Amino acid sequence: MLRIGMLTSGGDCQALNAAMRGVVKGLANSKQEIEVYGFMNGYKGLIYGDYRLLSKSEFSGILTKGGTILGSSRQPFKLMRVPDENGLDKVEAMKQTYYKLNLGCLVILGGNGTQKTANLLREEGLNVIHLPKTIDNDIYGTDVTFGFQSAINIATDAIDCIHTTAASHNRVFIVEVMGHKVGWLTLHAGIAGGADIILLPEIPYDIKKVAEAIEHRTQAGKGFTILAVAEGAISKEDAKLSKKELKKKREKSKYPSISYEIAAEIQAATGTEVRVTVPGHTQRGGSPTPYDRVLCTRLGAAAAQAILDKDFGNMVAMVNGETKRVPLESVAGKLKAVDPDSQIIKEIKQIGISFGD
Ligand code: F6P
């Protein structure tokens, strides 16, 4: 009997169910008898013993279903070693649940924080396999994370819709794109949506340069300008501040997010009307794109094979179009950010898109 546990942790995204389906279908074709326990709401379920035995049929018909059938929650890595309000040692509690159920392996689907905790559990002696999920695409050691392509579609749709209204009204529009501390999603949706200016956390902007780019378009007879702004975009001045100083400054800001601050600055500098659109969590919602369905089916099948091979302690990643087992210890805690000197940035500058730098 092979008994595995599965959990989805952190912010959800579109293809979590597709990935879990891939794992279970991949295992079902082996000769071994298999039991799958699902932990509810991420690590919370593992800590507090909230789980249930899942039937094979629960993994049927979920390839296209967004969200996660197991639920998810954020359990910050930095608090894992901190006892809960009742003094419970969370790491010990997770180990106890694992041993009580006599699990052979834990399949953990999540982003960077989730991966760090997966690595912690590996260090504590548990058999773990991590699958890289996040719309942010910021996991080091994999070419792509699942959810990313689906989120690009949604953010691109938002920019496409803004295009028609921006053109009618001769306005400047900002579409604020998710991505936490990195700009992958903004970069790709910005390019795909034909944004004129793209502001990323990795390339701090100068608001004068942003205003110049808008005025340049106006002088060229273009009545409107669209900016794709990452939620983590940062000005050159703010980039010089320490983490603490920046946090303090942002807390005092009257703007709900960076896009509103940029909008006010553009309005002041150019006299043009600016509107802000924030698609927010819609970017994590709905059905996964065909790309993500294929990606997750492959990652899931590869994870199943790793389980059958008893090869644990890895992230199952996509590297140069092939699935690959990447040791967690070599990637946990690292962030994959956009390289400002990369080819894609140079190419996009080449066609005249401004990064405000
Ligand atoms: O990591 C995925 C993500 O959607 C980020 O892009 C965003 O910054 C964050 O999660 C939002 O988190 P929450 O759903 O907790 O508000």
Side-chain angles (χ1 to χ4, degrees):
M1 163 75 70
L2 175 58
R3 203 173 265 173
I4 69 160
M6 196 139 43
L7 63 89
T8 55
S9 171
D12 73 341
C13 72
Q14 291 88 347
L16 283 161
N17 290 324
M20 290 192 277
R21 169 186 175 270
V23 177
V24 172
K25 283 191 182 280
L27 289 171
N29 281 332
S30 80
K31 290 194 182 78
Q32 288 210 43
E33 203 187 322
I34 287 155
E35 270 183 4
V36 180
Y37 283 84
F39 293 96
M40 307 314 293
N41 305 314
Y43 287 116
K44 225 183 202 175
L46 188 61
I47 298 169
Y48 298 104
D50 185 8
Y51 56 81
R52 66 188 176 84
L53 182 60
L54 299 165
S55 67
K56 214 177 122 196
S57 66
E58 290 181 82
F59 294 92
S60 268
I62 61 168
L63 174 65
T64 62
K65 199 175 164 174
T68 159
I69 57 167
L70 297 181
S72 191
S73 68
R74 290 197 186 278
Q75 300 294 316
F77 170 73
K78 62 178 180 204
L79 296 182
M80 278 300 178
R81 290 280 187 200
V82 179
D84 78 356
E85 58 281 11
N86 299 315
L88 181 81
D89 181 329
K90 294 171 207 153
V91 177
E92 277 312 310
M94 287 192 281
K95 285 164 68 179
Q96 268 176 29
T97 310
Y98 180 96
Y99 290 120
K100 187 178 109 189
L101 287 173
N102 197 16
L103 296 178
C105 169
L106 257 177
V107 180
I108 298 172
L109 296 86
N112 276 311
T114 302
Q115 186 190 61
K116 283 196 265 183
T117 300
N119 189 44
L120 170 72
L121 295 176
R122 177 196 65 79
E123 287 166 350
E124 290 288 325
L126 306 194
N127 294 333
V128 298
I129 289 180
H130 170 242
L131 289 176
K133 95 51 258 206
T134 168
I135 64 165
D136 304 340
N137 194 36
D138 58 355
I139 298 183
Y140 190 87
T142 184
D143 293 347
V144 69
T145 59
F146 54 91
F148 177 53
Q149 293 291 336
S150 301
I152 292 175
N153 264 23
I154 296 168
T156 303
D157 274 352
I159 300 173
D160 285 350
C161 289
I162 289 299
H163 247 108
T164 55
T165 175
S168 313
H169 286 277
N170 287 336
R171 280 172 174 161
V172 171
F173 267 93
I174 294 179
V175 180
E176 183 175 287
V177 181
M178 273 188 170
H180 203 215
K181 292 179 184 154
V182 301
W184 293 106
L185 188 51
T186 310
L187 177 62
H188 285 257
I191 298 169
D196 310 295
I197 300 171
I198 298 177
L199 303 184
L200 310 178
E202 295 89 341
I203 308 177
Y205 63 85
D206 174 347
I207 199 69
K208 286 198 208 93
K209 293 274 167 59
V210 174
E212 269 170 35
I214 295 169
E215 273 166 355
H216 192 253
R217 276 179 60 80
T218 311
Q219 278 155 19
K222 314 264 186 186
F224 70 92
T225 298
I226 293 181
L227 291 88
V229 173
E231 62 179 350
I234 187 164
S235 68
K236 283 190 193 289
E237 303 94 76
D238 284 358
K240 288 182 198 143
L241 300 177
S242 69
K243 236 175 155 181
K244 213 169 156 190
E245 288 167 331
L246 183 63
K247 195 169 170 241
K248 221 168 161 188
K249 189 177 170 200
R250 292 263 159 98
E251 275 166 6
K252 279 195 194 147
S253 169
K254 60 179 176 186
Y255 302 108
S257 71
I258 189 68
S259 295
Y260 291 90
E261 184 177 326
I262 294 172
E265 287 174 336
I266 293 174
Q267 212 148 319
T270 64
T272 332
E273 255 190 295
V274 187
R275 293 285 188 271
V276 177
T277 297
V278 184
H281 288 77
T282 62
Q283 292 163 98
R284 293 207 320 233
S287 242
T289 55
Y291 179 95
D292 271 338
R293 296 177 201 180
V294 174
L295 174 65
C296 284
T297 304
R298 292 187 63 192
L299 291 177
Q305 191 54 55
I307 294 169
L308 296 171
D309 293 346
K310 299 199 177 347
D311 186 7
F312 304 116
N314 298 309
M315 161 174 70
V316 176
M318 192 56 77
V319 180
N320 296 327
E322 302 286 332
T323 57
K324 194 178 164 191
R325 298 171 193 172
V326 180
L328 277 172
E329 61 188 332
S330 70
V331 291
K334 292 186 187 168
L335 192 75
K336 184 182 73 181
V338 176
D339 175 1
D341 297 320
S342 57
Q343 202 180 38
I344 186 167
I345 298 292
K346 287 182 187 144
E347 287 158 352
I348 298 317
K349 282 187 173 175
Q350 173 82 25
I351 66 152
I353 294 179
S354 166
F355 288 89
D357 58 336

